[in-house]
Amino acid sequence: MAETTTKTGTGIAARAEDLHREYGRGAADVHALRGVSVALAAGTFTAVMGPSGSGKTTLLHCLAGMDRPTRGSVWWGGTEISRLPERRLAELRRDRVGFVFQAFNLMPAMTVAQNVELPGRLAGKRPDRDRVTVALDRVGLTGRARHRPGQLSGGQQQRVAIARALVSRPEVLFADEPTGALDRTTGHEILALLRAGVDRDGRTCVMVTHDPVAAGYADRVLLLADGLVVDELVRPSAAQVGERLSRLGG
Ligand code: ADP
Ligand code: MG
């Protein structure tokens, strides 16, 4: 795990250089990313915004090693992950990053604890009960380990998904519209949780959001349009974000 942090010493947790991602070929070709370069400083919270179809999810997936860019490179510390063979990348992804989705993506037949343990089990590891308990405590779900997702509210289900993403103690947490399916109050609880992970645990967090208020929790906001980063705001107010976004037609 320390292999890359020691090599770089730059304090950059992840970065992308000249990322291109094309889907399909010929006439039906879609250029989802058209040359994106970003660096995520360790221990910071970045929001990614932009109109629907601007490439936000594609960027997140490429940065998280869940999708391969057509051209360009992705680095986690000193390791160029976009060049790694799939098996090695899968291992590294498991150890170094976590991912949270808008739709929670929990297994309904499993208990909360089993959901949190699942990524480790799939990797052939013996479940670490203490780690699971700590992860559930961290997201405010103490005592819910034996519940099923269907017995929990939407906000609680997203907390389970966050615990699942955090149980491996990743350096970077990626979240694609994590509050998109939640009401405002519940959404803010989730955002506060992500923010606390950055402030208290020094984690790096990247979140796609449509909500300028949500973006207000971030240190920096990247604005995407048509597969390119077109603007960057540092510690903006929700009003500033909203204004910039409306100019992009988002
Ligand atoms: P956003 O998250 O900003 O809404 P996406 O990254 O999901 O945007 O998509 C960017 C563009 O790439 C869109 O035009 C979308 O239709 C296209 N796209 C995304 N995924 C695929 C795919 N698997 N196959 C073909 N086109 C895709
Ligand atoms: Mg998306």
Side-chain angles (χ1 to χ4, degrees):
M1 265 228 239
E3 69 185 55
T4 59
T5 23
T6 49
K7 259 188 224 159
T8 61
T10 55
I12 301 297
R15 69 189 164 91
E17 255 175 47
D18 195 32
L19 276 196
H20 290 252
R21 179 65 167 101
E22 287 172 59
Y23 293 107
R25 292 216 169 146
D29 179 281
V30 175
H31 220 142
L33 297 175
R34 299 191 299 134
V36 171
S37 298
V38 295
L40 307 170
T44 64
F45 192 169
T46 302
V48 178
M49 303 190 81
S52 194
S54 58
K56 304 180 296 294
T57 293
T58 305
L59 174 61
L60 219 62
H61 285 179
C62 286
L63 280 170
M66 294 165 60
D67 190 9
R68 302 261 188 189
T70 314
R71 180 144 63 92
S73 55
V74 177
W75 299 74
W76 291 346
T79 306
E80 187 182 349
I81 63 143
S82 41
R83 280 182 187 278
L84 294 176
E86 192 52 44
R87 264 184 66 165
R88 177 75 187 117
L89 177 56
E91 275 173 21
L92 212 58
R93 197 167 50 219
R94 205 167 58 222
D95 289 341
R96 308 239 334 225
V97 305
F99 209 99
V100 176
F101 305 87
Q102 176 175 355
F104 322 141
N105 296 9
L106 301 175
M107 305 296 277
M110 293 185 173
T111 66
V112 163
Q114 286 167 341
N115 268 280
V116 174
E117 287 165 359
L118 187 60
R121 271 193 195 280
L122 292 173
K125 293 190 180 155
R126 192 128 49 87
D128 183 332
R129 281 285 141 79
D130 291 341
R131 271 200 181 204
V132 171
T133 304
V134 169
L136 288 174
D137 287 349
R138 271 290 161 99
V139 299
L141 286 178
T142 308
R144 303 282 179 164
R146 289 168 180 278
H147 286 66
R148 312 257 166 201
Q151 299 171 293
L152 303 177
S153 70
Q156 288 172 326
Q157 290 184 53
Q158 191 60 301
R159 287 163 185 269
V160 176
I162 292 173
R164 179 182 58 188
L166 294 184
V167 75
S168 64
R169 296 175 189 161
E171 294 159 33
V172 188
L173 181 66
F174 295 92
D176 195 354
E177 304 194 38
T179 61
L182 305 174
D183 63 66
R184 212 147 239 232
T185 309
T186 311
H188 287 315
E189 290 168 15
I190 296 297
L191 292 161
L193 207 54
L194 299 180
R195 183 73 241 181
V198 173
D199 294 338
R200 186 187 52 198
D201 303 330
R203 192 175 305 114
T204 309
C205 186
V206 194
M207 164 183 76
V208 170
T209 182
H210 281 294
D211 177 6
V213 178
Y217 280 79
D219 301 306
R220 178 170 78 133
V221 180
L222 299 176
L223 285 151
L224 256 63
D226 203 15
L228 289 169
V229 174
V230 293
D231 211 346
E232 181 179 335
L233 306 169
V234 176
R235 286 231 160 244
S237 67
Q240 282 173 305
V241 175
E243 192 261 330
R244 240 16 119 82
L245 210 55
S246 63
R247 275 202 257 154
L248 288 177

